[in-house]
Each structure stands twice: as structure tokens, then as C-alpha cells.
Amino acid sequence: MLAISVKDLRKSYGDHPAVKGISFDVPEGSFFAFLGPNGAGKSTTISILSSLLGKDSGTVSVFGRDPEDTETRRTIGIVFQDPKLDRILTVRENLRTRGAFYGLQRKERDEAVRDAIDITGCTEFADRRYGTLSGGQRRRADIARALVHRPRLLILDEPTTGLDPRTRRHIWELVDRLNRENGITVLLTTHYMEEAAGADDIVIINHGEIVAHGTPTELRERHCSDRLTFIPRDPDSARGMLESRGIGFTEDRGTFTVLLGRTSDAVPIVTALGENIESMEVRTGTLDEAFMEITGEVME
């Protein structure tokens, strides 16, 4: 079953088209990454999916229903870029309030709050005021808020912006566990390419249009090259060998770089160089390089 299906979605703000007829599907239980530079149309699309914004045309469904349907909204949990919890209330009080919004009765609500606190690792600070928490603790509480009504789809809109690398890693361990172990479908927007590397599927949007779609491996293979980098003992000999075989290369202060069609293409080059290699490295293309090739912009 599809968690999300988007067909020819269009949305404009006045004369400015923000989303220009995009289409994509998100299978239930998958981890889907939605990437693009600022102003590309990501937030507009997320707002339409979560019924915060109406579309101009096209079709959008969440688990086969219209996003504006009341039952559909109960299937979605959203972690926004900006905090949405009350700074004065404790984490537990915030979650109880959130559960009440969804009509959960006291016993069911308390159980749902306990589950959300446990699964997100908020137990240690559940009874502290939200405003006193660290950035990483707040993010865990924000995710708990999104989970308290037990949604099937978790939408994360750049959830780790502003967090240090260690805290970001902990948040993504949590998100991965929610997806892989609990079966929650995850839709992510992010500016951090390494966070998208673990996705099942990636859509890259630019200027309101989808410019690339595939798995992380497929995007790397299509849009960037592996490379062999080596330092020879005898640069003249290495240069002559490469030129005689018609192998393109660049040279910078004694370091040679050869772009490869595939990783295994390095083998005959290394064999031909033999003992002339002082040191070497074969590196696969990265998502950062693929993104830059696709959009012409650099991601964080």
C-alpha cells in the first residue's frame, strides 16, 4: 500500500509557481527523503500533504484518503522546524495536552504518552519544563509530540537543523528505529546529505520541479563518478602510461586523479602502475557530489 501518492501537484503564490506538476509515491513502511535548495518547493509540498495548505491542481492522497479528511490527519505526525510545545509545561504535560486534542480518553491518553516518552528516550526529562531542555532533548520531545496519537506516517521537516553532529546522530538513530523496528513511514526534508544516505528513495526538487529520483546508490551512479587518486614514485612514468592508454587525468602537486566509469575500472590502471604507486585511494561518488551535479548548488 502507498502511504503517499502525489500526481501532477501544482501550487502557485500569486504569479509565482512554487510547485510545478510534481509526481511521486511513498510506499508504506519506507524511509523517503525529499531534498532541494531553499525555495525549491519542499515546504509547500509538505504543507499540502499535511493539509495545512490547499493545492491548485493535481491529486494528493495519504493512505488512500484526502489529506484534509479528519481520519487522514490522525494518521500523520509532523515534526516542524520550529518548536511547537509550550515552554512552561513539562514534556509529559505537553504530550497529555496533545493527546487530548485527538480525543484520547484519560486511560488511553496516559498509555499513549508513556509509549511516546519511552520510544523517544524522554523518560529522564519527561517531568521537566520544555523550556529548560537542551536542543537535543527538545527535538526528542518534539518527536514524542508527533507520535502521541500513534500515527502511521511521520513527516520530519529539517528536524536536526541547528543541532551538533553528535546530537544529530542520536536523533537519526531514533528515527531509524521508528522506521525499521516500528514500521512507521518516514518522510524527511533535510539540508544534511548524510541523513538522506540511509533513505530507501530520494526525490530532489529544484525550482518547483523534480530533477532527480532514485535510491542513494542510483543517484550516485547516474550523477557522479568514482575516482582513483594516487601519488606515483615516478610522475613522468605514470604520466606517460596514462597518456599512452588514452586515460584522462588531472595532476595537482604530484597527486594524480582519474575519473572512473565504475570502481572496477581502477584495477587495470593500478596493475599497469605496479610498483610505481607510492600511495593510492579509490573513492566512490558521494551524494553531495550528485546533488551539486543535479542542482548546481552545494548542500550542507
Side-chain angles (χ1 to χ4, degrees):
M1 181 178 183
L2 292 177
I4 297 171
S5 182
V6 174
K7 304 296 182 190
D8 198 28
L9 177 63
R10 297 177 185 273
K11 177 66 180 180
S12 296
Y13 298 102
D15 295 331
H16 174 68
V19 177
K20 306 174 185 176
I22 66 173
S23 301
F24 63 89
D25 293 326
V26 180
E28 184 172 8
S30 66
F31 175 12
F32 188 92
F34 196 52
L35 308 182
N38 289 331
K42 303 188 304 298
S43 293
T44 296
T45 303
I46 294 300
S47 295
I48 293 171
L49 285 172
S50 55
S51 76
L52 298 175
L53 186 67
K55 64 184 184 298
D56 291 342
S57 63
T59 60
V60 177
S61 65
V62 178
F63 298 109
R65 294 174 177 265
D66 190 298
E68 296 188 9
D69 185 278
T70 301
E71 288 303 311
T72 305
R73 292 175 178 173
R74 296 180 66 90
T75 67
I76 302 173
I78 308 175
V79 178
F80 297 96
Q81 293 183 41
D82 300 321
K84 299 298 179 183
L85 295 183
D86 191 302
R87 294 175 58 87
I88 302 301
L89 298 179
T90 68
V91 173
R92 194 183 307 276
E93 289 167 343
N94 267 295
L95 298 188
R96 283 176 177 162
T97 301
R98 181 69 177 175
F101 288 162
Y102 283 90
L104 300 181
Q105 298 305 307
R106 182 171 180 176
K107 183 178 179 180
E108 182 185 8
R109 182 187 63 195
D110 288 347
E111 181 182 338
V113 168
R114 283 195 302 271
D115 288 347
I117 287 172
D118 286 343
I119 198 170
T120 54
C122 292
T123 304
E124 181 182 344
F125 50 87
D127 295 306
R128 288 172 52 190
R129 291 184 178 184
Y130 180 78
T132 68
L133 304 181
S134 68
Q137 290 171 334
R138 289 185 190 181
R139 244 357 180 182
R140 286 180 178 273
D142 293 339
I143 295 173
R145 167 193 174 277
L147 296 176
V148 75
H149 62 292
R150 295 171 171 153
R152 297 162 63 189
L153 169 65
L154 181 62
I155 297 177
L156 303 163
D157 191 9
E158 300 188 19
T160 62
T161 298
L163 299 180
D164 63 84
R166 183 169 178 239
T167 303
R168 278 166 44 200
R169 186 176 68 252
H170 289 163
I171 293 298
W172 280 108
E173 288 172 354
L174 166 61
V175 172
D176 185 69
R177 189 165 67 250
L178 290 171
N179 175 240
R180 308 300 177 188
E181 297 179 12
N182 296 81
I184 296 175
T185 306
V186 173
L187 172 61
L188 160 76
T189 73
T190 182
H191 275 99
Y192 299 110
M193 293 303 294
E194 72 271 19
E195 294 179 351
D200 299 309
D201 206 11
I202 296 174
V203 156
I204 297 178
I205 184 172
N206 198 20
H207 302 299
E209 299 177 302
I210 291 177
V211 291
H213 185 187
T215 67
T217 299
E218 288 170 344
L219 293 179
R220 284 192 293 261
E221 289 179 348
R222 289 181 206 149
H223 300 285
C224 56
S225 300
D226 296 349
R227 62 191 63 201
L228 166 65
T229 302
F230 66 92
I231 298 174
R233 290 188 172 91
D234 183 347
D236 290 336
S237 176
R239 196 178 300 111
M241 184 279 291
L242 294 171
E243 290 174 347
S244 68
R245 296 177 178 231
I247 299 172
F249 65 94
T250 59
E251 183 180 352
D252 181 23
R253 290 173 289 187
T255 299
F256 288 66
T257 299
V258 178
L259 297 181
L260 306 169
R262 52 186 178 179
T263 307
S264 59
D265 290 345
V267 175
I269 300 173
V270 172
T271 300
L273 288 167
E275 295 183 358
N276 192 22
I277 295 179
E278 181 73 38
S279 64
M280 59 163 282
E281 176 187 32
V282 177
R283 186 168 66 84
T284 59
T286 66
L287 276 178
D288 296 271
E289 292 167 346
F291 186 89
M292 189 163 53
E293 172 68 23
I294 293 164
T295 67
E297 300 195 31
V298 178
M299 291 284 274
E300 295 183 43

